[in-house]
């Protein structure tokens, strides 16, 4: 009777092989501590730099002695890659931490029920609230979605379903549109609508400016989703005698529903925190305005912006709290998008 | 009575519903183009007066003054040279820091990271792209600046003999260097994702052949992946450059904007076209508003050119990968 050999990984490191690198890294940590304590170096930067140099160099010489030059260079490269990935992760952790740390002290219940109409940014943070800003941001999101989602999805349909003669060109313009700086979008709406037509700065003009930024995001995500829909579905529809319109509206779009929802949510996350276009287009009111078509409108990013510009401790505190609320909104949308996006297309 | 049955005409012409569908979709498809065209036209139109008065001086001088004398006459000069130079200086600083980090992170994600870390780090990088730019501004001013001032002093102390790291007066607050570091973090998501896309298309047979010949991971990356992906990385860097040119609020929060050309990146004085527009917007007179719209036009054209180039390079790199 033959015995089945247990699977094993001959390339995996044995405990003995693992021992030396671990010891070396521990030793470099200790050495770092002594070097920083006893020489002119100081601060977190010195710890990081000395530790990185010592540990990667010691691993380099270990490999050089035990394996060879190529392996030593390989280990050095690995250290660099790992450090780079860590360096990319650090700012995100720092941003989340400092937003929580500095934003939480300014939270109070009336924040969500009051406006800044009868309060000044320089008042103690308990006065006033950001209801007007939350309402304004929700209006802006709603109007922008109404404008950009149909536009974005129809553009994506042209690129994936019709594949007309202009596909390459339209792809190119969508790409270029996604590079339009947000400040230019705001200036454009100011120059073309606010000073040229009777429509004055209000929620809707803000939504126009934000749409310029949202359409490319929606188009590109929707396009990727539509490309994932198997061609069999389209061909089946056409083979049953359906017109292209019927095929698209009853087969392709429903199959892509979740993906299109993701595209919408990613688009919202892209524009919810935009500040620059709003500076030129919404006027920035401090009182609650329930009509987005008339009169100045407030918005969360604008509230943060105002707080930051005034520069007193109270207004800065307001800015941090405002950005915390905005961040929670964006993160919530982002999480929903990932949950929907990770579901399988066509289910 | 015999019913005459006329058979349905068989044709390849689209039905009416299809005609409507196709024309609606085609018209909406031109939306992006129409918007680009309108942006260019309107900004150029409103700024035309300034271009006519100032001519090329608008791009080559650095004075921005509006003076009203007692009789109400206005004299003005507008020039954005310092702003343009500042924009490029900050963008180059951010690329110098951000692109190597992004490329190494992309390599780490594609060739080194275990599955779990890969998923986590990808989510983290997507998250970075979703952070509002004003958050980067606040964070940059209150959290990063104290650290960067210390780094700037070190850089000045040990590398002051290099002209760009020289500083005449010890004033390190709100420097282009700080703006460059914060922008570097802001462009990491886009550069990383483009680089990953390109690296993941590196021909698998060549990678496996290299491994089979006994190459180490680094040797594979150096000899197969990087030569294949280098043009894509350049394209990704260009996209990042476009972002860096157009970033407004974050740079405004952390940069000390002065209308004077400054090449010393550690010195707390710089320029940036986008932020300058916001800075001057608040109290702008009608003629100044026109000058700001003209500056917006210059910025628009600049980013358009950079993005077109980036798009061209990336598309070519992606195509060569699929061939």
């Amino acid at each position: 009777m033959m015995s089945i050999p247990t699977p094993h990984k001959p390339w995996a490191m044995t405990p003995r092989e693992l021992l030396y690198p671990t010891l070396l890294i521990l030793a470099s940590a200790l050495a770092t501590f002594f070097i920083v304590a006893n020489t002119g170096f100081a601060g977190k930067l010195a710890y990081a730099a000395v530790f990185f140099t010592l540990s990667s160099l010691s691993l380099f010489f270990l490999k050089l002695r035990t394996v060879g030059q190529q392996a030593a260079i390989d280990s050095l490269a690995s250290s660099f890659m790992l450090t780079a990935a860590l360096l990319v992760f650090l700012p995100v952790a720092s941003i989340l931490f400092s937003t929580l740390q500095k934003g939480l002290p300014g939270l109070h219940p009336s924040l969500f029920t009051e406006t800044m109409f009868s309060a000044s940014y320089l008042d103690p943070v308990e006065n006033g609230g950001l209801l007007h800003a939350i309402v304004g941001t929700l209006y802006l999101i709603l109007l922008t979605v109404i404008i950009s989602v149909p536009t974005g999805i129809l553009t994506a349909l042209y690129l994936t379903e019709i594949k007309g003669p202009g596909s390459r060109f339209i792809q190119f313009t969508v790409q270029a549109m996604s590079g339009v700086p947000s400040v230019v979008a705001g200036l454009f709406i100011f120059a073309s609508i606010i000073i040229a037509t009777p429509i004055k700065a209000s929620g809707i003009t803000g939504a126009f400016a934000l749409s310029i930024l949202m359409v490319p995001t929606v188009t590109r995500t929707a396009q990727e989703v539509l490309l994932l829909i198997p061609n069999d579905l389209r061909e089946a529809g056409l083979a049953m005698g359906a017109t292209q319109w019927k095929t698209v509206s009853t087969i392709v779009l429903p199959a892509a529903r979740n993906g299109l929802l993701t595209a919408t949510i990613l688009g919202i996350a892209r524009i919810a925190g935009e500040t620059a276009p709003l500076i030129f287009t919404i006027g920035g009111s401090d009182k609650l305005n329930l009509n987005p078509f008339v009169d100045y409108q407030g918005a969360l990013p604008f509230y943060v912006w105002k707080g930051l510009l005034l520069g007193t401790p109270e207004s800065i505190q307001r800015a941090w709290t405002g950005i915390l609320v905005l961040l929670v909104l964006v993160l919530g949308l982002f999480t929903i998008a990932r949950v929907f996006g990770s579901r399988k297309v066509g289910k | 009575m015999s019913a005459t049955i006329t058979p349905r005409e068989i044709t390849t012409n689209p039905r009416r519903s299809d005609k409507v569908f196709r024309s609606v979709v085609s018209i909406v498809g031109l939306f992006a183009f129409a918007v680009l065209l309108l942006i260019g036209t309107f900004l150029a139109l409103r700024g035309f007066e300034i271009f006519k008065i100032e001519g090329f001086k608008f791009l080559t001088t650095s004075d921005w003054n509006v003076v009203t004398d007692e009789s109400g006459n206005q004299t003005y000069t507008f020039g954005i040279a310092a702003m343009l130079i500042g924009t490029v200086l900050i963008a180059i600083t951010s690329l110098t820091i951000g692109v190597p980090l992004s490329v190494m992170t992309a390599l780490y994600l594609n060739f080194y990271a275990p599955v779990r870390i890969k998923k986590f780090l990808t989510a983290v990088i997507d998250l970075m792209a979703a952070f509002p730019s004003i958050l980067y501004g606040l964070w940059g001013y209150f959290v990063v600046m104290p650290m960067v001032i210390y780094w700037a002093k070190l850089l000045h102390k040990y590398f002051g003999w290099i002209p760009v790291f020289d500083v005449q007066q010890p004033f390190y607050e709100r420097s282009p260097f700080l703006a460059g570091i914060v922008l570097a973090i802001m462009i990491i998501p886009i550069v990383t994702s483009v680089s990953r896309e390109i690296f993941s298309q590196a021909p698998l047979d060549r990678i496996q052949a290299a491994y089979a010949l006994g190459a180490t991971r680094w040797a594979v990356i150096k000899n197969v992946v990087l030569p294949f992906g280098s043009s894509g990385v350049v394209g990704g860097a260009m996209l990042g450059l476009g972002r860096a040119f157009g970033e407004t609020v974050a740079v405004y929060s952390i940069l000390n904007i002065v209308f004077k050309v400054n090449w010393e990146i550690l010195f707390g004085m710089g320029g940036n076209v986008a932020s300058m527009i916001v800075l001057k917007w608040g109290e702008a007179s009608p003629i100044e508003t026109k000058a700001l719209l003209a500056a917006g036009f210059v910025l628009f054209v600049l980013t358009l050119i950079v993005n077109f180039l980036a798009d061209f390079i990336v598309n070519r790199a992606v195509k060569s990968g699929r061939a």
Side-chain angles (χ1 to χ4, degrees):
Chain A
M1 209 169 95
M2 240 170 67
S3 68
I4 302 166
T6 48
H8 63 286
K9 299 174 178 170
W11 60 86
M13 287 174 117
T14 59
R16 233 186 89 97
E17 282 172 323
L18 266 173
L19 182 68
Y20 281 119
T22 323
L23 276 181
L24 276 178
I25 288 174
L26 283 177
S28 8
L30 265 176
T32 308
F33 193 70
F34 279 112
I35 291 176
V36 176
N38 295 319
T39 57
F41 297 118
K44 280 170 266 178
L45 186 65
Y47 279 109
V50 175
F51 177 67
F52 171 72
T53 320
L54 282 182
S55 53
S56 52
L57 276 184
S58 57
L59 287 178
F60 176 80
F61 284 114
L62 176 73
K63 285 279 178 190
L64 193 61
R65 283 206 50 153
T66 54
V67 191
Q69 194 193 355
Q70 287 298 324
I73 297 173
D74 185 52
S75 103
L76 198 63
S78 308
S79 316
F80 271 99
M81 306 288 174
L82 186 62
T83 313
L86 263 178
L87 282 180
V88 168
F89 170 68
L90 276 182
V92 179
S94 165
I95 288 176
L96 290 176
F97 175 75
S98 50
T99 312
L100 276 177
Q101 186 201 21
K102 303 195 174 179
L104 280 178
L107 277 183
H108 54 93
S110 62
L111 203 65
F112 302 101
T113 54
E114 282 178 33
T115 70
M116 294 301 291
F117 183 51
S118 50
S120 154
Y121 280 77
L122 314 178
D123 285 351
V125 283
E126 284 75 28
N127 292 12
L130 35 74
L131 179 67
H132 63 295
I134 295 175
V135 169
T137 288
L138 292 181
Y139 267 132
L140 282 173
I141 290 176
L142 183 72
L143 291 172
T144 313
V145 165
I146 291 174
I147 301 170
S148 357
V149 170
T151 316
I153 291 179
L154 286 177
T155 310
L157 281 180
Y158 183 86
L159 294 171
T160 57
E161 304 300 318
I162 295 191
K163 299 193 186 96
S167 285
R168 271 183 63 100
F169 176 69
I170 287 179
Q171 181 83 63
F172 217 54
T173 55
V174 169
Q175 202 72 256
M177 195 175 167
S178 73
V180 169
S182 54
V183 64
V184 169
L187 275 180
F188 163 62
I189 294 301
F190 179 83
S192 64
I193 294 182
I194 295 179
I195 57 174
T197 68
I199 307 172
K200 291 298 160 216
S202 59
I204 187 73
T205 48
F208 284 149
L210 293 179
S211 298
I212 296 176
L213 307 171
M214 184 164 167
V215 167
T217 316
V218 175
T219 305
R220 282 159 67 178
T221 322
Q223 194 189 349
E224 272 167 35
V225 173
L226 289 172
L227 282 177
L228 286 179
I229 302 290
N231 244 339
D232 303 2
L233 284 181
R234 295 186 183 97
E235 283 159 7
L238 294 174
M240 303 279 280
T243 58
Q244 190 176 25
W245 158 241
K246 278 280 176 203
T247 312
V248 169
S249 63
T250 60
I251 299 176
V252 177
L253 287 182
R257 199 179 47 225
N258 278 333
L260 296 179
L261 205 60
T262 311
T264 309
I265 297 168
L266 282 181
I268 297 176
R270 162 90 174 79
I271 54 121
E274 274 298 340
T275 317
L278 303 184
I279 295 169
F280 307 97
T281 51
I282 63 165
S285 157
D286 279 339
K287 73 166 193 267
L288 191 61
N289 177 7
L290 290 176
N291 184 352
F293 298 100
V294 183
D295 239 357
Y296 289 175
Q297 187 70 267
L300 272 175
F302 201 90
Y303 177 89
V304 177
W305 171 249
K306 240 173 155 173
L308 180 65
L309 283 195
L310 286 168
T312 67
E314 290 81 14
S315 74
I316 301 278
Q317 179 61 60
R318 284 176 197 281
W320 277 111
T321 309
I323 202 82
L324 178 64
V325 175
L326 183 61
L327 192 62
V328 168
L329 180 76
V330 172
L331 286 189
L333 289 170
F334 187 74
T335 317
I336 297 170
R338 282 192 82 84
V339 170
F340 272 106
S342 62
R343 287 196 198 159
K344 274 191 95 175
V345 173
K347 287 277 160 67
Chain B
M1 196 178 110
S2 68
T4 51
I5 301 166
T6 47
R8 180 167 69 96
E9 193 192 343
I10 294 177
T11 163
T12 52
N13 287 339
R15 304 278 185 84
R16 199 166 64 205
S17 64
D18 264 7
K19 278 184 189 155
V20 172
F21 169 66
R22 283 174 159 262
S23 48
V24 166
V25 169
S26 309
I27 290 167
V28 175
L30 287 172
F31 176 81
F33 175 64
V35 166
L36 285 181
L37 204 66
L38 284 175
I39 293 178
T41 331
F42 267 99
L43 293 184
L45 216 63
R46 305 273 179 217
F48 180 68
E49 199 179 323
I50 302 297
F51 290 128
K52 213 171 62 185
I53 299 168
E54 298 281 341
F56 257 105
K57 285 216 319 288
F58 188 65
L59 298 179
T60 54
T61 59
S62 316
D63 292 319
W64 189 281
N65 286 311
V66 182
V67 182
T68 315
D69 59 20
E70 291 99 25
S71 52
N73 290 327
Q74 276 192 333
T75 49
Y76 41 80
T77 46
F78 299 115
I80 56 169
M83 298 298 119
L84 283 173
I85 290 172
T87 306
V88 174
L89 195 64
I90 292 170
I92 289 174
T93 315
S94 71
L95 287 190
T96 318
I97 301 166
V99 171
L101 270 183
S102 308
V103 171
M104 285 199 279
T105 307
L107 288 173
Y108 178 77
L109 283 171
N110 277 11
F111 297 100
Y112 290 83
V115 179
R116 227 173 256 194
I117 294 182
K118 188 169 166 173
K119 270 191 179 161
F120 173 71
L121 207 58
T122 314
V124 165
I125 291 171
D126 286 348
L127 190 64
M128 276 173 102
F131 281 157
S133 60
I134 192 164
L135 175 56
Y136 281 104
L138 266 174
W139 176 71
Y141 188 85
F142 290 102
V143 181
V144 184
M145 195 163 79
M147 287 191 267
V148 168
I149 290 175
Y150 174 67
W151 302 347
K153 282 178 185 160
L154 284 184
L155 268 179
H156 174 57
K157 194 165 154 196
Y158 296 107
F159 297 99
W161 45 271
I162 304 172
V164 284
F165 292 135
D166 196 15
V167 177
Q168 304 303 333
Q169 297 142 316
F171 179 66
Y172 300 99
E173 276 86 14
R174 309 184 71 184
S175 61
F177 180 56
L178 169 64
I181 286 179
V182 173
L183 268 185
I185 296 165
M186 295 181 75
I187 63 167
I188 281 175
I190 179 99
V191 184
T192 307
S193 64
V194 173
S195 308
R196 279 194 66 190
E197 164 93 30
I198 301 288
F199 291 154
S200 68
Q201 287 172 2
L204 196 60
D205 49 351
R206 268 185 259 168
I207 294 179
Q208 285 170 341
Y211 277 134
L213 287 171
T216 59
R217 211 154 19 179
W218 169 244
V220 170
I221 289 173
K222 197 181 102 188
N223 297 305
V224 181
V225 179
L226 285 184
F228 171 82
S230 55
S231 66
V233 170
V234 172
M238 294 282 283
L239 277 180
L241 187 70
R243 288 286 152 90
F245 277 167
E247 186 45 54
T248 316
V249 171
V251 176
Y252 178 91
S253 321
I254 50 181
L255 184 69
N256 183 22
I257 298 169
V258 179
F259 277 86
K260 204 170 153 203
V261 178
N262 171 31
W263 290 101
E264 300 163 353
I265 59 168
L266 302 181
F267 184 58
M269 185 175 103
N272 183 274
V273 178
S275 314
M276 176 276 283
I277 295 172
V278 172
L279 174 75
K280 292 283 175 187
W281 188 260
E283 65 271 14
S285 58
I287 186 73
E288 207 174 349
T289 304
K290 279 184 186 151
L292 291 176
L293 291 172
F297 180 72
V298 173
L299 180 65
F300 175 65
V301 172
L302 204 64
T303 47
L304 211 56
I305 293 171
V306 169
N307 276 304
F308 270 137
L309 280 178
D311 201 39
F312 180 69
I313 297 172
V314 171
N315 275 340
R316 216 179 44 177
V318 169
K319 245 177 230 142
S320 76
R322 287 196 181 136

